[in-house]
Amino acid sequence: MKRSLFNRRPAAVLTALAALVLPVVAAGPAEAVTRDVHVSYIYEDSLGDVTYDIRFNGTVKSNGPTGYIIDGDFDGYCAPGALTTQYATLAYHGAGDAWGYKTRSCDELPEHFHFTGTRKRGAKIELQVGATSGIANTYGYGTKMSYDIDAN
């Protein structure tokens, strides 16, 4: 003999109906936040004259739980007179031990950057700019800045 759904206890029937009618809410990642980004490197020679002024101004935001988007303007000044080509770089870090770099000769600036990267879930994005201001074209860098792009 078959049992009808309505012959069961009322609580079981209500539970089954609720499962069909009520929406399922899944927990998702925290809401993303867009952060303004301002990183710079300024180098003065022994006379106090600015010989390098490198800047990146823009935004960084989440691109899902393990991604990010960096968008902004990379600009700078490198004093004339060097014997070799002078370079400026935007360094960025989101996942693992390796940093990524967007490097341009000073003559190619300004330039607009828009790119994506990956990060560990919940990781902050670190940015830093620099230039070949050292002996034998070694890089000098400004302060490393860290940006939390997940909602608190």
Side-chain angles (χ1 to χ4, degrees):
M1 173 154 82
K2 287 187 173 180
R3 295 180 110 189
S4 168
L5 178 64
F6 295 105
N7 289 338
R8 297 182 186 177
R9 296 186 355 203
V13 172
L14 289 175
T15 301
L17 288 175
L20 294 173
V21 175
L22 295 176
V24 175
V25 178
E31 185 177 324
V33 176
T34 299
R35 300 286 185 205
D36 289 330
V37 171
H38 305 286
V39 289
S40 64
Y41 170 66
I42 299 172
Y43 180 81
E44 296 178 354
D45 65 13
S46 60
L47 300 174
D49 295 324
V50 173
T51 54
Y52 294 88
D53 185 348
I54 310 299
R55 299 173 187 272
F56 181 79
N57 295 302
T59 60
V60 61
K61 65 182 176 180
S62 174
N63 188 18
T66 59
Y68 62 90
I69 299 170
I70 294 176
D71 185 77
D73 296 314
F74 188 46
D75 199 1
Y77 166 78
C78 300
L83 297 175
T84 59
T85 302
Q86 300 300 289
Y87 292 95
T89 192
L90 169 66
Y92 52 96
H93 183 252
D97 295 329
W99 282 74
Y101 299 91
K102 298 286 185 187
T103 301
R104 301 293 183 264
S105 75
C106 290
D107 295 337
E108 295 176 309
L109 299 177
E111 185 171 342
H112 184 83
F113 288 146
H114 179 90
F115 61 95
T116 61
T118 59
R119 63 189 176 117
K120 293 179 182 176
R121 183 179 295 268
K124 295 178 181 180
I125 304 303
E126 296 176 312
L127 297 172
Q128 193 173 26
V129 294
T132 52
S133 59
I135 297 172
N137 264 11
T138 57
Y139 277 88
Y141 287 93
T143 302
K144 180 175 25 174
M145 303 296 290
S146 182
Y147 299 93
D148 185 357
I149 56 175
D150 292 313
N152 296 334

